[in-house]
Amino acid sequence: MADIIDGKAFAATVREKVATHVARLKEEHGITPGLAVVLVGEDPASEVYVRNKGRQTVECGMNSFEHKLPADTPEADLLALIDQLNNDPAVHGILCQLPVPDHIDEATVINAIAPEKDVDGFHISNVGLLATGQKAMVPCTPLGCLMMLRDRHGSLSGMDAVVVGRSNIVGKPMAQLLLKDSCTVTIAHSRTKNIEEVCKRADILVAAVGRPEMITGDWVKPGATVIDVGINRIPAPERGEGKMRLVGDVEFASVSAVAGAITPVPGGVGPMTIAVLLANTVTACCRMNGLAEPEGLTA
Ligand code: GUN
């Protein structure tokens, strides 16, 4: 039976490190890091997410700035707000919650954020910096996965890593991070031939495809570390009429019988994302002020 990697507990230790560093920034430099979150429209899931971000930001001792704009906000108005936040010295991190409404171009918005304040790490400059092994702002979810992998293995050098999924938010940056840590990296996706065989070579298997329970125990090398980024809601008739349950991209029962370690869903990667966002905000604040970065919270 695999060890369960407790993302909830890990996220709590990340938040503690963030809070300690924030306290030091205030005490020694009189600086309070600030995170601005912009939400366009009224998507209920996004609203919950934004509220959680705001609460955890304040709990870590940082300033939280929330900007909620109506769904029909013109793109020019959103870009004007981003420009204002780019020029606000109290704001060290800017995040525009995705997805944005259809009339707004996502790439235009992302690339309008000042790269040094881009705590999502989605700006083309940060993507390029990461790809060339330079100091970048790194996307939160893959960075959280890397932290958990380093915690379990120490050095990842020479390990075979397979990332299933090629999204800009998780798959591609995850592959870059594993490559930077000297893994032999394969990106598998919907067109990959013999995907089971490819996965079975992995010492580290990261699943980020958004297909419920796609990866089963017979795809996994005995003793492998399996990181499940998927969060899928599926019908759960056994819990009653119309009930749903959360599952990952990994079939937990069969994979946990083979793997050496596994992140559960929920309670694995999920809680790490906001914790790393807070860490990225502190990192951005330190870099902007020419101060030492928090240890263990960067790539
Ligand atoms: N929507 C869902 N996940 C994310 C994320 O990591 N960043 C942003 N900006 N929007 C999201």
Side-chain angles (χ1 to χ4, degrees):
M1 184 70 191
D3 295 334
I4 309 292
I5 300 176
D6 185 346
K8 212 172 149 189
F10 203 105
T13 67
V14 170
R15 285 195 300 271
E16 264 171 46
K17 284 186 199 171
V18 168
T20 303
H21 210 86
V22 168
R24 197 179 312 151
L25 282 170
K26 283 189 194 178
E27 224 172 85
E28 295 176 8
H29 304 281
I31 299 168
T32 304
L35 171 63
V37 175
V38 181
L39 174 62
V40 187
E42 282 107 37
D43 175 53
S46 290
E47 288 200 354
V48 172
Y49 204 52
V50 166
R51 202 173 323 128
N52 285 337
K53 281 175 192 165
R55 179 175 50 77
Q56 294 187 30
T57 304
V58 172
E59 280 171 4
C60 285
M62 299 193 281
N63 290 326
S64 169
F65 308 99
E66 267 178 33
H67 296 268
K68 289 193 181 175
L69 307 178
D72 61 355
T73 300
E75 186 180 281
D77 290 10
L78 176 58
L79 295 176
L81 171 62
I82 289 173
D83 188 52
Q84 179 197 317
L85 297 172
N86 283 343
N87 290 297
D88 184 342
V91 172
H92 304 94
I94 302 170
L95 176 148
C96 181
Q97 184 69 25
L98 303 177
V100 286
D102 288 343
H103 68 282
I104 295 175
D105 183 60
E106 189 175 287
T108 302
V109 171
I110 289 170
N111 293 320
I113 296 171
E116 67 275 15
K117 296 191 178 186
D118 169 36
V119 282
D120 261 329
F122 296 163
H123 191 289
I124 45 169
S125 297
N126 283 313
V127 175
L129 289 167
L130 177 61
T132 50
Q134 301 178 72
K135 198 175 266 198
M137 292 307 303
V138 176
C140 302
T141 301
L143 180 52
C145 296
L146 183 76
M147 286 178 187
M148 293 194 284
L149 287 167
R150 284 177 174 169
D151 180 67
R152 174 150 185 102
H153 293 284
S155 168
L156 308 182
S157 180
M159 295 178 85
D160 282 316
V162 175
V163 178
V164 189
R166 51 176 156 174
S167 71
N168 291 333
I169 293 183
V170 183
K172 285 182 206 160
M174 186 77 248
Q176 296 288 3
L177 287 170
L178 292 164
L179 190 58
K180 196 162 172 280
D181 269 25
S182 302
C183 292
T184 303
V185 182
T186 303
I187 302 179
H189 49 79
S190 54
R191 304 292 174 89
T192 298
K193 283 180 279 179
N194 303 321
I195 192 165
E196 301 97 300
E197 299 310 311
V198 172
C199 289
K200 208 160 184 156
R201 290 202 296 262
D203 303 310
I204 293 169
L205 183 59
V206 180
V209 267
R211 293 191 49 186
E213 302 179 316
M214 182 178 99
I215 291 168
T216 50
D218 51 339
W219 293 34
V220 175
K221 182 181 189 173
T225 298
V226 179
I227 305 287
D228 190 354
V229 183
I231 300 177
N232 310 289
R233 216 171 278 279
I234 63 167
E238 72 280 6
R239 293 187 183 178
E241 171 104 9
K243 296 280 187 204
M244 308 287 277
R245 67 186 176 100
L246 279 188
V247 298
D249 294 344
V250 172
E251 188 187 63
F252 187 85
S254 64
V255 173
S256 61
V258 180
I262 184 169
T263 61
V265 176
V269 175
M272 287 295 285
T273 299
I274 294 181
V276 175
L277 174 70
L278 306 177
N280 275 354
T281 304
V282 174
T283 299
C285 178
C286 291
R287 287 180 185 170
M288 255 173 258
N289 287 284
L291 300 170
E293 294 174 17
E295 238 166 79
L297 297 182
T298 56

